[in-house]
Structures are given as structure tokens and as C-alpha cells.
Amino acid sequence: MELLGPARDTEEAVRVGDRALSREELLRRASTVAGEIGGASAVAVHATASLETVVAVVGGILAGVPVVPLPPDSGPAERDHILGDSGAQLMLAAKGAYEGEGGPALVPVDELGTADRSPERADDAATALILYTSGTTGAPKGVLISRRAIAAGLDALAGAWEWTAGDTLVHGLPLFHVHGLVLGVLGALRTGSPLVHTVRPRPDAYAAAARERGGSLFFGVPTVWSRVCDDPGSARALQGARLLVSGSAPLPVPVFEKLAGLTGHRPVERYGMTETLITISARAGGDRRPGHVGLPLNGVETRLAAEDGAPVPHDGETPGELYVRAPMIFDGYLGRPEATAESLAADGWFRTGDIAAIGPDGWHRIVGRASTDLIKSGGYRIGAGEVENALLSHPAVREAAVIGTPHADLGEQVTAYVVAEGVTDKQLIDFVAERLSAHKRPRVVHLVESLPRNAMGKVVKTRLGA
């Protein structure tokens, strides 16, 4: 299976910041890397936003060697865990970029020169990437992603988003996650569309890529799109784009509506996980609904289950845990058969741990994580996302995160952490009570200066109140 698809005839296949490579030059450099690492059991890549990262990852694909992207901001404990757990034998990085002590032997990607392209030697079932989870419930787990899964996932997205070699993809997302690396680099290479990586996802950089590079397809996380909305000039520069895509976290409804008003584009939302890649999405040629992530991609099945395993009706309101079965699902957790068995059944159904509601027409709405976003209060099941969207619709509120906290009578109470100016906690409680059922209003609102977020802009709810 060829993970690198045909490309249109352009001078630049990949641009990162002010540096660029043609497709031929990229493949020559990657071929040299492939020759250097051939036979290794796994290689780590110091995944900075750089051409060296792209060359290293493509080199691993050409060599058929599993690639382990290492976040460049990893602390010593996380770094040592990922390198030790994965068994990476080499570290690929630009000369002088990696400063970790010990570990695998360093291969300076930018000093290897170029060579003719070598053939892809791995079969479809071979592991292409070992991606590590965020580790919010323990040490990060290595997720085994096969070449077949990546190809299936990218082809399904290309169909849903009408993504072709005629597009120019623009994003500035980290290159060690599914969003920035699998979709944002391998997706561009498989579809043949040129990639413009802005190093950082700044609104002015996105606007410049639209004006100067012909950007037509833009990827961002909700934080990026919120910042674009706060910069109307940059937002209006995206009016000539074909598609704006949001993922990695729920896009607040007010941001969806403001982005649509400024750019003329109703953004496409999609849903996925490290273990599943992208499985649900709105379509380029179809409806796009605020607060919803769309329909299953081709080849994807979904279902909802209650806590006792019973089926949950698809009425658009009743929440249940989301299960998915699809050709882009991972092969298991590296060296963790028990964890694999707990989440991935023998018949292929994967337990996502996310709470969702599915409408009669098949549209999916993600409520949140079962562990943090499903609040059980006074016999009611309350989705944190619905309360967050209500808070965000207040003009004084910039950010909001809702969790359940212990309550002697209710079991759990709805507790909100809000970044806002010129409004009191009581006013926000009353504001939500006017828009949602009374039992969904926050019992407590904490006004804070900021919310804790990870590298992808997701709020880390386990750190709220810390």
C-alpha cells in the first residue's frame, strides 16, 4: 500500500515557515533517512514544527520502520517513558535540536544528504506509527497505528471533505498528534495537496497563507478558531478558502457562529481519537450543525450503550457511551494486552470512553468524556458540553469548563470554571438557568484568569481547581 499518493505539479510540496521542499527533494531526503534506519525495530522523531520532522516521518514510512513522534516539550519523565516503552533504537532530529540526555543514538536528519527513493517494503498490516496518549489516567500508552488504518482513514476523509491534489492545506498544529501529523502531513502527501505549515497557528499566519499561498483547506483546534474570530481582518482573509475544519476538542457554538459570520464558511467539525483516527465528520457538500460532529465516515459503524450495556435510543437527547467499529482503528496498546482487551473487543468494537447522543437522522453530538463530562446530579445525567455552550453564549464569557463535583445531597453538582469580565457568578448561574433546564444550571461558578490546557488546546479538566 502506497501511503504517498500522486501529487500535482508544484514547486513546493511542503513548506514549514520560510523553508520548503519539492516532492522530489522530500522523497530523496527521506530515502536517505530510510537507508540509515532500515532494520530498526522503531525510531523516535523529535517532532518539532520543521521540515526535518516531515523528512524523518516519511523516511520511516519508506523504510517500513515504526515511527514514535516525541513531543519537543516533553519533560524528562515523559520523554524517558516514551523512549523506554517504545523501544526506539534511534532518535531522528535536526542537528542541535534535541537536547535530551542518554537514550537512543542521535541521527541528525539534516546532515544525511539525499538519495534516490527506495521502495516501501512493509505490508499493509505493519505498524507505521506508535502514538502516545496524553496519559491523563496514568502513564501514556503507545497506540499502534497500522499503514492500512492510516490509508483507510485518510481516504475516508478525502471523500468526506472532497479533498484533492487541487487543494493547498494550511495549518500550524503540532506534529506529534493525529491532527497535525496524520491528517496534516500524511493527509497532504496522500492526497497530493501541497502543505503550508505556519509553525504556529496564528491568525495572521493563516491569513497570509490564504493570500500568498492559495490556501484552500485550513485545519485548526477551537482555540485557533476563537483567536481567528478575535482578529476580524485575518478572519475575512479566509473568505476565499474552500473549507475550514475544526477538531481535537468541541468547537463552542458561539465560535462556530462568529467564524461563519466573519468568513462566510460554516466550519466542518469531526470526531476522532488517537486510537481510532477520524471516524465521524460533517461533509464538505452537506449540512454543518453547530455543536455536532456529523455522520460516520464510509466504513464506520457506531452505537451507544448505557452503563449496563443496554442500547441507547438514537433520539438526539439520551446520552450513552460511544462505541465505534471501523477500518482505521488501532491494533492495540503496545505491550499492554489487558488494556487493549478492556477497550477493543474481539469483534472490532472500540469503547471510546466518550459520551454522545445520536439523532434519528444519524447526526452525532459529543457530550464529553465519561470520566469528566457526564455529571450525575440528583438522578439526572447532564452533559458538561451543553452547560459550557450556554455559558459561552454570554457576551462577557471568554472561556468555560464544567465538571461534576461531590455534593452531599445530589451526589454531584454542576460546577463551572469561567474566564469572564464584568459579570458575577450569580449572574452566570441565572443566565444558564434561563436557557437550560433548572437542574442543569451550575451550583457553583469559579471566576478564574485562565483554564489549564494541553498542547492541542484541550482543557485539562483534571487540573481544574488545582
Side-chain angles (χ1 to χ4, degrees), residues 72-439:
D73 60 351
S74 297
E78 180 184 7
R79 181 188 65 231
D80 292 348
H81 170 74
I82 291 174
L83 295 178
D85 187 72
S86 67
Q89 295 178 302
L90 300 168
M91 171 65 71
L92 308 183
K95 181 181 179 182
Y98 180 67
E99 299 178 351
E101 297 180 0
L106 183 64
V107 176
V109 174
D110 46 346
E111 291 192 337
L112 295 179
T114 61
D116 292 332
R117 181 181 179 184
S118 58
E120 298 181 40
R121 296 191 291 272
D123 63 32
D124 294 353
T127 299
L129 296 172
I130 304 174
L131 300 175
Y132 276 78
T133 62
S134 60
T136 55
T137 57
K141 298 187 289 290
V143 177
L144 302 172
I145 307 293
S146 71
R147 299 163 69 88
R148 179 189 292 121
I150 292 173
L154 294 177
D155 289 350
L157 283 179
W161 297 345
E162 301 174 12
W163 185 3
T164 71
D167 280 304
T168 293
L169 172 63
V170 179
H171 75 89
L173 303 172
L175 299 186
F176 47 86
H177 286 298
V178 167
H179 198 167
L181 179 59
V182 178
L183 277 61
V185 173
L186 300 183
L189 293 173
R190 185 162 177 81
T191 60
S193 61
L195 166 64
V196 176
H197 192 284
T198 61
V199 182
R200 295 184 181 278
R202 301 190 321 269
D204 62 324
Y206 276 34
R211 290 190 297 260
E212 301 167 13
R213 303 290 172 187
S216 61
L217 177 60
F218 288 77
F219 290 171
V221 298
T223 301
V224 172
W225 296 124
S226 178
R227 291 172 181 171
V228 167
C229 289
D230 290 338
D231 184 351
S234 293
R236 284 189 284 269
L238 304 183
Q239 291 176 352
R242 186 179 68 80
L243 208 64
L244 310 182
V245 180
S246 182
S248 296
L251 183 67
V253 171
V255 177
F256 181 107
E257 294 173 341
K258 190 172 181 180
L259 187 64
L262 287 167
T263 67
H265 295 286
R266 294 171 67 81
V268 162
E269 293 190 69
R270 85 301 184 281
Y271 167 81
M273 300 178 65
T274 304
E275 292 91 338
T276 67
L277 305 183
I278 308 305
T279 51
I280 303 168
S281 179
R283 303 305 198 259
D287 194 10
R288 303 168 205 175
R289 305 177 189 175
H292 292 72
V293 293
L295 300 163
L297 296 175
N298 288 342
V300 175
E301 301 172 79
T302 64
R303 63 183 176 88
L304 296 179
E307 291 173 287
D308 61 0
V312 170
H314 293 186
D315 56 13
E317 294 295 334
T318 307
E321 185 171 359
L322 179 65
Y323 287 70
V324 299
R325 183 163 61 182
M328 59 281 288
I329 286 179
F330 76 136
D331 289 332
Y333 296 111
L334 177 64
R336 301 196 183 193
E338 293 183 0
T340 300
E342 288 176 2
S343 61
L344 184 60
D347 60 2
W349 283 103
F350 175 71
R351 183 177 184 177
T352 68
D354 283 326
I355 303 300
I358 303 176
D361 58 358
W363 270 74
H364 289 55
R365 176 170 58 87
I366 304 300
V367 175
R369 293 295 293 170
S371 58
T372 58
D373 294 315
L374 185 63
I375 303 167
K376 301 170 186 176
S377 182
Y380 293 101
R381 292 158 60 90
I382 303 165
E386 185 178 14
V387 184
E388 287 165 356
N389 277 326
L391 286 164
L392 287 165
S393 66
H394 191 289
V397 174
R398 290 167 40 214
E399 298 180 87
V402 170
I403 59 174
T405 57
H407 188 277
D409 179 46
L410 300 173
E412 285 186 308
Q413 66 180 7
V414 179
T415 299
Y417 291 80
V418 179
V419 180
E421 293 181 1
V423 66
T424 67
D425 55 347
K426 184 179 185 307
Q427 288 173 326
L428 292 175
I429 292 170
D430 293 342
F431 182 82
V432 174
E434 291 171 358
R435 284 156 179 78
L436 301 178
S437 300
H439 66 271

Side-chain angles (χ1 to χ4, degrees), residues 455-466:
M456 290 300 292
K458 293 182 182 180
V459 175
V460 183
K461 292 194 172 183
T462 54
R463 288 164 48 194
L464 289 172

